Amino acid sequence: MDFKAMLNRALRAAKLDVTLFQEVEKDTTLNREALMVVVFATILAGIGSLIGGLLAPGLGAVLLIVAWTVIWGIVGYYLWAYLTWFIGTRLFQGTAEPGELLRTLGYASAPQALGFFSFIPCAGAIVALLASIWALVAGVIAVREALNVDTGKAVITVVIGWVVVFVIGMVVAGILGAGAIGLGALTGSLQ
């Protein structure tokens, strides 16, 4: 894997370069590379969470947040890609294979790497929010190009898919959070 080429493509995706999304949609050799963009972006966001958590008490909670950030970043990517493929092809008669969405949405997640700066008091939360919005905009372009639909249909597809993935993520996080609290109470770690 050519790291320099991957970084160049990730930067082009972050610049919302439409031709990049057209290229990766067609290039089936980029599946692993698109996943690596997601992995690197979520690891950087996880490191930002870790740094922020180290500035506050509660190392156990911090490690859970970091693990959740990285694991859900990857699981959410796959879920979102397949969900947008399903919605776009069934609801809007888009033309794509799931791999096309995996590749284009993988690169669209590049701005999420700015989550690294989430540890900065006050400004970090704003940077992370803007990075998420930026990635959603890139996601709209990615979905539009992969599914060959107009921008309005791409927006609807992305929003529906994102909301579903967000809700699932919140439910799972809530279950894991309740489990962690219960485990802490059982082991006497809560003080």
Side-chain angles (χ1 to χ4, degrees), residues 85-149:
W85 169 77
F86 182 81
I87 293 166
T89 58
R90 301 301 189 270
L91 191 60
F92 297 118
Q93 289 69 50
T95 55
E97 295 296 322
E100 294 174 43
L101 274 298
L102 285 166
R103 288 188 297 278
T104 57
L105 287 174
Y107 279 98
S109 71
Q112 293 288 0
L114 293 175
F116 171 80
F117 299 105
S118 65
F119 70 91
I120 300 171
C122 298
I126 293 168
V127 169
L129 175 64
L130 291 175
S132 294
I133 293 168
W134 188 357
L136 277 174
V137 171
V140 168
I141 295 168
V143 167
R144 182 187 70 202
E145 296 305 313
L147 289 171
N148 303 307
V149 296

Coordinates of all heavy atoms in Angstrom, one line a residue, residues 85-149:
W85 N -26.0 2.3 0.6 CA -26.2 1.5 -0.6 C -27.6 1.0 -0.7 O -28.2 1.2 -1.8 CB -25.2 0.4 -0.6 CG -25.5 -0.6 -1.8 CD1 -25.2 -0.5 -3.1 CD2 -26.1 -1.9 -1.6 NE1 -25.6 -1.5 -3.8 CE2 -26.2 -2.4 -2.9 CE3 -26.7 -2.6 -0.6 CZ2 -26.8 -3.6 -3.2 CZ3 -27.3 -3.8 -0.8 CH2 -27.4 -4.3 -2.1
F86 N -28.1 0.4 0.3 CA -29.5 -0.1 0.3 C -30.5 0.9 0.0 O -31.4 0.8 -0.8 CB -29.8 -0.9 1.6 CG -31.1 -1.5 1.7 CD1 -31.3 -2.7 1.1 CD2 -32.2 -0.9 2.3 CE1 -32.6 -3.3 1.1 CE2 -33.4 -1.5 2.3 CZ -33.6 -2.7 1.7
I87 N -30.4 2.1 0.8 CA -31.4 3.1 0.6 C -31.3 3.7 -0.8 O -32.3 3.9 -1.5 CB -31.1 4.2 1.7 CG1 -31.5 3.7 3.1 CG2 -32.0 5.5 1.4 CD1 -30.9 4.6 4.2
G88 N -30.1 4.0 -1.2 CA -29.9 4.7 -2.5 C -30.3 3.8 -3.7 O -30.9 4.3 -4.7
T89 N -30.1 2.5 -3.6 CA -30.5 1.6 -4.7 C -31.9 1.3 -4.7 O -32.5 1.1 -5.7 CB -29.6 0.4 -4.8 OG1 -29.7 -0.4 -3.5 CG2 -28.1 0.7 -5.1
R90 N -32.5 1.1 -3.5 CA -33.9 0.7 -3.4 C -34.9 1.9 -3.5 O -35.9 1.8 -4.2 CB -34.1 -0.1 -2.1 CG -33.3 -1.3 -1.9 CD -33.5 -2.3 -3.0 NE -32.9 -3.6 -2.8 CZ -31.7 -3.9 -3.1 NH1 -30.9 -3.1 -3.7 NH2 -31.2 -5.1 -2.8
L91 N -34.5 2.9 -2.8 CA -35.4 4.1 -2.7 C -35.3 5.0 -3.9 O -36.3 5.5 -4.4 CB -35.2 4.8 -1.4 CG -36.2 5.9 -1.0 CD1 -37.6 5.3 -0.8 CD2 -35.7 6.6 0.3
F92 N -34.1 5.2 -4.4 CA -33.8 6.2 -5.4 C -33.3 5.5 -6.7 O -32.8 6.3 -7.6 CB -32.8 7.2 -4.9 CG -33.4 8.0 -3.8 CD1 -32.8 8.0 -2.6 CD2 -34.6 8.8 -4.0 CE1 -33.3 8.8 -1.5 CE2 -35.1 9.5 -2.9 CZ -34.4 9.5 -1.7
Q93 N -33.3 4.2 -6.8 CA -32.8 3.5 -8.0 C -31.4 3.9 -8.4 O -31.1 4.0 -9.6 CB -33.8 3.7 -9.2 CG -35.1 3.0 -9.1 CD -36.0 3.6 -8.0 OE1 -36.2 4.8 -8.0 NE2 -36.5 2.8 -7.1
G94 N -30.6 4.2 -7.4 CA -29.2 4.5 -7.7 C -28.5 3.2 -8.2 O -29.0 2.1 -8.0
T95 N -27.4 3.4 -8.9 CA -26.7 2.3 -9.5 C -25.3 2.2 -8.9 O -24.4 3.0 -9.2 CB -26.5 2.4 -11.0 OG1 -25.9 3.7 -11.3 CG2 -27.9 2.4 -11.7
A96 N -25.1 1.2 -8.1 CA -23.8 1.0 -7.4 C -23.7 -0.4 -6.8 O -24.8 -1.0 -6.5 CB -23.6 2.1 -6.3
E97 N -22.5 -0.8 -6.6 CA -22.3 -2.0 -5.8 C -21.9 -1.5 -4.4 O -21.4 -0.4 -4.2 CB -21.1 -2.8 -6.4 CG -21.5 -3.4 -7.8 CD -22.6 -4.4 -7.8 OE1 -22.7 -5.1 -6.8 OE2 -23.4 -4.3 -8.7
P98 N -22.0 -2.4 -3.4 CA -21.7 -1.9 -2.0 C -20.2 -1.5 -1.9 O -19.9 -0.5 -1.2 CB -21.9 -3.2 -1.2 CG -22.9 -4.0 -1.9 CD -22.7 -3.7 -3.4
G99 N -19.3 -2.1 -2.7 CA -17.9 -1.7 -2.6 C -17.7 -0.3 -3.1 O -16.8 0.4 -2.5
E100 N -18.5 0.2 -4.0 CA -18.3 1.6 -4.4 C -18.6 2.5 -3.3 O -18.0 3.6 -3.1 CB -19.2 1.9 -5.6 CG -18.9 1.1 -6.9 CD -19.8 1.2 -8.0 OE1 -20.3 2.4 -8.2 OE2 -20.2 0.2 -8.6
L101 N -19.6 2.2 -2.5 CA -20.0 3.1 -1.3 C -18.9 2.9 -0.2 O -18.6 3.9 0.4 CB -21.3 2.7 -0.8 CG -22.6 3.4 -1.4 CD1 -22.6 4.8 -1.2 CD2 -22.8 3.0 -2.8
L102 N -18.4 1.7 -0.1 CA -17.3 1.5 0.9 C -16.1 2.4 0.6 O -15.5 3.0 1.5 CB -16.9 0.0 1.0 CG -17.9 -0.8 1.8 CD1 -17.6 -2.3 1.5 CD2 -17.9 -0.5 3.3
R103 N -15.7 2.4 -0.7 CA -14.5 3.1 -1.1 C -14.8 4.6 -1.0 O -14.0 5.4 -0.4 CB -14.1 2.8 -2.5 CG -13.5 1.4 -2.6 CD -13.0 1.1 -4.0 NE -13.9 1.1 -5.1 CZ -14.7 0.1 -5.4 NH1 -14.6 -1.1 -4.7 NH2 -15.6 0.2 -6.4
T104 N -15.9 5.1 -1.5 CA -16.1 6.6 -1.5 C -16.4 7.1 -0.1 O -15.9 8.1 0.2 CB -17.3 7.0 -2.5 OG1 -18.5 6.3 -2.1 CG2 -16.9 6.7 -3.9
L105 N -17.2 6.4 0.7 CA -17.4 6.8 2.0 C -16.2 6.7 2.9 O -16.0 7.4 3.9 CB -18.6 6.1 2.6 CG -20.0 6.5 2.1 CD1 -21.1 5.7 2.6 CD2 -20.3 8.0 2.3
G106 N -15.3 5.7 2.6 CA -14.1 5.6 3.4 C -13.3 6.8 3.2 O -12.8 7.4 4.2
Y107 N -13.1 7.3 2.0 CA -12.3 8.5 1.8 C -13.1 9.7 2.3 O -12.5 10.7 2.8 CB -12.0 8.7 0.3 CG -10.8 7.9 -0.1 CD1 -11.0 6.6 -0.7 CD2 -9.5 8.3 0.2 CE1 -9.9 5.9 -1.0 CE2 -8.4 7.6 -0.1 CZ -8.6 6.3 -0.7 OH -7.5 5.6 -0.9
A108 N -14.4 9.7 2.2 CA -15.2 10.9 2.8 C -15.0 11.1 4.3 O -15.2 12.1 4.8 CB -16.7 10.7 2.4
S109 N -14.6 10.0 4.9 CA -14.4 10.1 6.4 C -13.1 10.8 6.8 O -12.8 11.0 8.0 CB -14.4 8.7 7.0 OG -13.3 8.0 6.7
A110 N -12.2 11.1 5.8 CA -10.9 11.7 6.1 C -11.0 13.0 7.0 O -10.2 13.1 7.9 CB -10.2 12.1 4.8
P111 N -12.0 13.9 6.9 CA -12.0 15.0 7.8 C -12.2 14.6 9.3 O -11.8 15.4 10.2 CB -13.2 15.8 7.3 CG -13.3 15.5 5.9 CD -12.9 14.0 5.8
Q112 N -12.7 13.4 9.5 CA -12.8 13.0 10.9 C -11.5 12.9 11.7 O -11.5 12.9 12.9 CB -13.5 11.6 10.9 CG -14.9 11.6 10.5 CD -15.9 12.3 11.5 OE1 -15.5 12.7 12.5 NE2 -17.1 12.3 11.1
A113 N -10.4 12.9 10.9 CA -9.1 12.9 11.6 C -8.9 14.1 12.4 O -8.1 14.1 13.4 CB -8.0 12.7 10.5
L114 N -9.6 15.2 12.1 CA -9.5 16.4 12.9 C -10.1 16.2 14.4 O -9.8 17.0 15.2 CB -10.2 17.5 12.3 CG -9.6 18.0 11.0 CD1 -10.4 19.1 10.3 CD2 -8.1 18.5 11.2
G115 N -10.7 15.0 14.6 CA -11.2 14.7 15.9 C -10.0 14.6 16.9 O -10.2 14.6 18.1
F116 N -8.8 14.5 16.3 CA -7.6 14.4 17.2 C -7.6 15.6 18.1 O -7.1 15.6 19.2 CB -6.4 14.4 16.3 CG -5.1 14.6 17.1 CD1 -4.5 13.5 17.7 CD2 -4.5 15.8 17.1 CE1 -3.4 13.6 18.5 CE2 -3.3 16.0 17.9 CZ -2.7 14.9 18.5
F117 N -8.1 16.8 17.6 CA -8.0 18.0 18.4 C -9.1 18.2 19.4 O -9.3 19.2 20.0 CB -8.0 19.2 17.4 CG -6.8 19.2 16.5 CD1 -6.9 18.9 15.2 CD2 -5.5 19.5 17.0 CE1 -5.8 18.8 14.4 CE2 -4.4 19.5 16.2 CZ -4.5 19.1 14.9
S118 N -9.9 17.1 19.6 CA -11.1 17.2 20.5 C -10.7 17.5 21.9 O -11.5 17.9 22.8 CB -11.9 15.9 20.4 OG -11.2 14.8 20.9
F119 N -9.4 17.2 22.3 CA -8.9 17.4 23.7 C -8.8 18.9 24.0 O -8.7 19.2 25.2 CB -7.6 16.6 23.9 CG -6.4 17.2 23.2 CD1 -5.7 18.2 23.8 CD2 -6.1 16.8 21.9 CE1 -4.6 18.7 23.1 CE2 -5.1 17.4 21.2 CZ -4.3 18.3 21.8
I120 N -8.7 19.8 23.1 CA -8.5 21.2 23.4 C -9.8 21.7 24.0 O -10.9 21.6 23.4 CB -8.2 22.0 22.1 CG1 -6.9 21.4 21.4 CG2 -8.1 23.5 22.4 CD1 -6.6 22.0 20.0
P121 N -9.6 22.3 25.2 CA -10.8 22.8 25.9 C -11.6 23.8 25.0 O -11.0 24.6 24.4 CB -10.3 23.5 27.2 CG -8.9 22.8 27.4 CD -8.4 22.5 26.0
C122 N -12.9 23.6 25.0 CA -13.9 24.5 24.3 C -13.7 24.3 22.8 O -14.6 23.9 22.1 CB -13.8 25.9 24.7 SG -14.2 26.2 26.4
A123 N -12.6 24.7 22.2 CA -12.3 24.7 20.8 C -12.4 23.3 20.2 O -12.8 23.1 19.1 CB -11.0 25.4 20.4
G124 N -11.9 22.3 21.0 CA -11.8 20.9 20.5 C -13.2 20.4 20.1 O -13.3 19.7 19.1
A125 N -14.2 20.7 20.9 CA -15.6 20.2 20.6 C -16.1 20.8 19.3 O -16.7 20.2 18.5 CB -16.5 20.5 21.8
I126 N -15.7 22.1 19.1 CA -16.2 22.8 17.9 C -15.5 22.2 16.7 O -16.1 22.0 15.7 CB -15.9 24.3 18.0 CG1 -16.8 24.9 19.1 CG2 -16.1 25.0 16.7 CD1 -16.5 26.3 19.5
V127 N -14.2 22.0 16.8 CA -13.4 21.4 15.7 C -13.9 20.0 15.4 O -14.1 19.7 14.2 CB -11.9 21.3 16.1 CG1 -11.1 20.4 15.0 CG2 -11.3 22.7 16.1
A128 N -14.2 19.2 16.4 CA -14.8 17.8 16.1 C -16.1 17.9 15.5 O -16.4 17.1 14.6 CB -14.9 17.1 17.5
L129 N -17.0 18.9 15.9 CA -18.3 19.0 15.3 C -18.1 19.5 13.8 O -18.8 18.9 12.9 CB -19.1 20.1 16.0 CG -20.5 20.4 15.4 CD1 -21.4 19.2 15.4 CD2 -21.1 21.6 16.2
L130 N -17.3 20.4 13.6 CA -17.0 20.9 12.2 C -16.5 19.8 11.3 O -16.8 19.6 10.1 CB -16.1 22.1 12.2 CG -16.7 23.4 12.7 CD1 -15.7 24.5 12.8 CD2 -17.9 23.8 11.9
A131 N -15.6 19.0 11.9 CA -15.0 17.8 11.1 C -16.1 16.8 10.8 O -16.2 16.3 9.7 CB -14.0 17.1 11.9
S132 N -17.1 16.6 11.7 CA -18.2 15.7 11.4 C -19.1 16.3 10.3 O -19.5 15.5 9.4 CB -19.0 15.5 12.7 OG -18.3 14.8 13.6
I133 N -19.4 17.5 10.4 CA -20.2 18.2 9.3 C -19.5 18.1 8.0 O -20.1 17.8 6.9 CB -20.5 19.6 9.7 CG1 -21.5 19.6 10.9 CG2 -21.2 20.4 8.5 CD1 -21.7 21.0 11.5
W134 N -18.2 18.4 8.0 CA -17.3 18.3 6.8 C -17.4 16.9 6.2 O -17.5 16.7 5.0 CB -15.9 18.7 7.2 CG -14.9 18.9 6.1 CD1 -15.1 18.7 4.7 CD2 -13.6 19.3 6.3 NE1 -13.9 19.0 4.1 CE2 -13.0 19.4 5.0 CE3 -12.8 19.7 7.4 CZ2 -11.6 19.8 4.8 CZ3 -11.5 20.1 7.2 CH2 -10.9 20.1 6.0
A135 N -17.3 15.9 7.0 CA -17.3 14.5 6.6 C -18.7 14.2 6.0 O -18.8 13.4 5.0 CB -16.9 13.6 7.7
L136 N -19.7 14.7 6.6 CA -21.1 14.5 6.0 C -21.2 15.1 4.7 O -21.8 14.5 3.7 CB -22.2 15.1 7.0 CG -22.6 14.2 8.1 CD1 -23.5 14.9 9.1 CD2 -23.2 12.9 7.6
V137 N -20.7 16.3 4.5 CA -20.7 17.0 3.2 C -19.9 16.1 2.2 O -20.4 15.9 1.0 CB -20.2 18.4 3.2 CG1 -20.0 19.0 1.8 CG2 -21.1 19.3 4.1
A138 N -18.8 15.7 2.6 CA -18.0 14.8 1.7 C -18.8 13.5 1.4 O -18.7 13.0 0.3 CB -16.6 14.5 2.3
G139 N -19.5 13.0 2.4 CA -20.3 11.8 2.3 C -21.4 12.0 1.2 O -21.7 11.1 0.5
V140 N -22.0 13.2 1.2 CA -23.0 13.5 0.2 C -22.4 13.4 -1.2 O -23.0 12.8 -2.1 CB -23.7 14.9 0.4 CG1 -24.5 15.3 -0.7 CG2 -24.5 14.9 1.7
I141 N -21.3 14.0 -1.4 CA -20.6 14.0 -2.7 C -20.2 12.5 -3.0 O -20.4 12.1 -4.2 CB -19.4 14.9 -2.7 CG1 -19.8 16.3 -2.5 CG2 -18.6 14.7 -4.0 CD1 -18.6 17.3 -2.2
A142 N -19.7 11.8 -2.1 CA -19.4 10.4 -2.3 C -20.6 9.6 -2.7 O -20.5 8.8 -3.7 CB -18.7 9.8 -1.0
V143 N -21.7 9.7 -2.0 CA -22.9 9.0 -2.3 C -23.4 9.4 -3.7 O -23.9 8.5 -4.5 CB -23.9 9.1 -1.2 CG1 -25.3 8.6 -1.6 CG2 -23.4 8.4 0.1
R144 N -23.4 10.7 -3.9 CA -23.9 11.1 -5.2 C -23.1 10.5 -6.4 O -23.7 10.0 -7.4 CB -23.8 12.7 -5.3 CG -24.4 13.2 -6.6 CD -24.1 14.7 -6.7 NE -22.7 14.9 -6.9 CZ -22.1 16.1 -6.6 NH1 -22.8 17.1 -6.2 NH2 -20.8 16.2 -6.9
E145 N -21.8 10.5 -6.2 CA -21.0 10.0 -7.3 C -21.1 8.4 -7.4 O -21.1 7.9 -8.5 CB -19.5 10.4 -7.1 CG -19.3 11.9 -7.2 CD -19.9 12.5 -8.5 OE1 -19.6 11.9 -9.6 OE2 -20.6 13.5 -8.4
A146 N -21.1 7.8 -6.3 CA -21.2 6.3 -6.3 C -22.5 5.8 -6.8 O -22.6 4.8 -7.6 CB -20.9 5.7 -4.9
L147 N -23.6 6.4 -6.4 CA -24.9 5.9 -6.7 C -25.4 6.5 -8.1 O -26.4 6.0 -8.6 CB -25.9 6.3 -5.6 CG -25.8 5.5 -4.4 CD1 -26.8 6.1 -3.3 CD2 -26.2 4.0 -4.6
N148 N -24.7 7.5 -8.6 CA -25.2 8.2 -9.8 C -26.6 8.8 -9.6 O -27.4 8.5 -10.5 CB -25.0 7.3 -11.0 CG -23.6 6.8 -11.1 OD1 -22.7 7.5 -11.2 ND2 -23.5 5.5 -11.2
V149 N -26.8 9.5 -8.6 CA -28.1 10.2 -8.3 C -27.8 11.7 -8.2 O -26.7 12.1 -8.1 CB -28.8 9.6 -7.0 CG1 -29.1 8.2 -7.2 CG2 -27.9 9.8 -5.8

